[in-house]
Amino acid sequence: MLRLENKVCFISGGASGLGEAMVHRFSEEGGQVYFGDIDAVRGEAVAKECGAIFLPLDVSDEEQWVAAIQRIEQDKGRLDVLVNNAGILGTGPLETIDIASWNRLFAINVTGVMLGCKHGGMLMQRNPGGATGSIINISSNAGILATASDCGYSATKGAVRLMTKSIAINFARRGMSIRCNSLHPGPTDTPIFKPWRTSEKVSTQLDDTLREMIPLGRLGQPREIANMALYLASDESSFSTGSEFVVDGGGTSALAGM
Ligand SMILES: NC(=O)c1ccc[n+]([C@@H]2O[C@H](COP(=O)([O-])OP(=O)(O)OC[C@H]3O[C@@H](n4cnc5c(N)ncnc54)[C@H](O)[C@@H]3O)[C@@H](O)[C@H]2O)c1
């Protein structure tokens, strides 16, 4: 028996990095996988690779969420797993923040997650046979410990962490079996760092800095994060809700430099 057999899944930001790894991993385990992204070219290519279905989606736009969830309801009549994964890096240190970039960051990293929970959660409530499902919100280890260099990113990822708990207890107290957990990756080798890799030298320095933060001494691989998402998506995690799942090579366990 495959771990996601017969489960209808939706992953936001599935055209790259962690989301792309989840699209593949969930498909391998029998999930009927839909995914959304603003990058339609890459999205269609990923869909072709594994037979998942790509839907164009900007997570900050409520109408686009309504259209994506309607399409899944028309096709399958249910939603079992939702991963709110789409996200971007932040606006840099406090002194340099401009308000337009700050608002865009919150629109994607926070409002985008809320809209996914709202519209995906409403379809889960209508699932034939009762309100069931698993929502996985991708936060970060930066949603647990702060970085001085990126005030906005930490703020958005901290917001995702507590939003997740609020949504989890709301569903549970209304007697629904819709679980909601946050996943907190540490630095993982994905294109998210591309804007920072301005030269080979800078890129090597960045990797060295990231590695120093991680007791296991290396960056994570997307599949290692996708494996935790898979556990949370499957019925193996049936007693977990409102909880934080850290996958960061020990980064949040260590006192800096000790
Ligand atoms: N890579 C890491 O080290 C790391 C660590 C902790 C948390 N995360 C989080 O994991 C998630 C995925 O990051 P990644 O490393 O795979 O990044 P990535 O840049 O490789 O992929 C992000 C995807 O999201 C899409 N996206 C961006 N804005 C969007 C929008 N408005 N609507 C829909 N899709 C949009 C992009 O097109 C891209 O395909 C993010 O939430 C990120 O904050 C990443």
Side-chain angles (χ1 to χ4, degrees):
M1 170 98 177
L2 296 168
R3 292 165 75 189
L4 296 184
E5 203 158 291
N6 299 323
K7 289 198 189 290
V8 179
C9 309
F10 184 78
I11 299 159
S12 74
S16 171
L18 306 186
E20 180 181 355
M22 290 174 209
V23 170
H24 281 280
R25 197 71 193 91
F26 286 19
S27 300
E28 284 162 19
E29 288 294 342
Q32 299 171 42
V33 179
Y34 290 74
F35 67 103
D37 207 289
I38 47 171
D39 185 343
V41 174
R42 187 79 205 117
E44 293 293 0
V46 171
K48 228 181 216 170
E49 283 162 18
C50 62
I53 294 170
F54 170 72
L55 304 175
L57 172 71
D58 179 339
V59 292
S60 66
D61 183 331
E62 185 158 22
E63 282 180 18
Q64 293 188 35
W65 268 111
V66 171
I69 296 297
Q70 259 174 8
R71 163 73 192 275
I72 296 169
E73 187 163 25
Q74 277 159 12
D75 285 2
K76 303 287 179 188
R78 62 182 301 117
L79 181 65
D80 301 294
V81 176
L82 166 70
V83 188
N84 285 303
N85 163 76
I88 57 172
L89 286 180
T91 40
L94 184 62
E95 303 76 28
T96 64
I97 291 170
D98 77 89
I99 198 70
S101 311
W102 176 268
N103 287 341
R104 182 76 187 136
L105 175 68
F106 273 73
I108 295 171
N109 286 12
V110 182
T111 308
V113 174
M114 177 278 291
L115 290 174
C117 291
K118 178 182 169 188
H119 293 285
M122 286 196 298
L123 177 51
M124 286 174 173
Q125 288 174 48
R126 295 195 292 276
N127 277 347
T132 56
S134 174
I135 299 175
I136 301 145
N137 292 330
I138 306 301
S139 175
S140 170
N141 62 352
I144 295 174
L145 297 177
T147 65
S149 59
D150 200 340
C151 160
Y153 189 72
S154 290
T156 60
K157 293 302 182 177
V160 168
R161 178 172 165 230
L162 275 187
M163 188 197 322
T164 299
K165 294 181 193 304
S166 169
I167 290 166
I169 54 178
N170 180 320
F171 284 138
R173 289 198 176 141
R174 289 191 291 147
M176 299 177 189
S177 292
I178 302 175
R179 302 181 292 107
C180 186
N181 292 290
S182 55
L183 199 167
H184 301 259
T188 307
D189 192 11
T190 76
I192 202 169
F193 295 113
K194 213 169 154 189
W196 293 2
R197 297 190 187 281
T198 48
S199 71
E200 214 176 307
K201 191 173 162 210
V202 173
S203 190
T204 307
Q205 279 168 350
L206 172 65
D207 287 337
D208 289 346
T209 308
L210 292 173
R211 269 195 293 269
E212 274 167 28
M213 292 161 47
I214 306 169
L216 282 184
R218 64 173 177 85
L219 272 71
Q221 290 303 312
R223 200 173 163 89
E224 295 177 299
I225 312 301
N227 281 335
M228 177 60 86
L230 173 62
Y231 167 70
L232 292 170
S234 76
D235 294 337
E236 295 156 24
S237 57
S238 53
F239 198 47
S240 292
T241 196
S243 294
E244 299 159 22
F245 292 79
V246 179
V247 187
D248 72 344
T252 46
S253 304
L255 283 174
M258 298 182 78

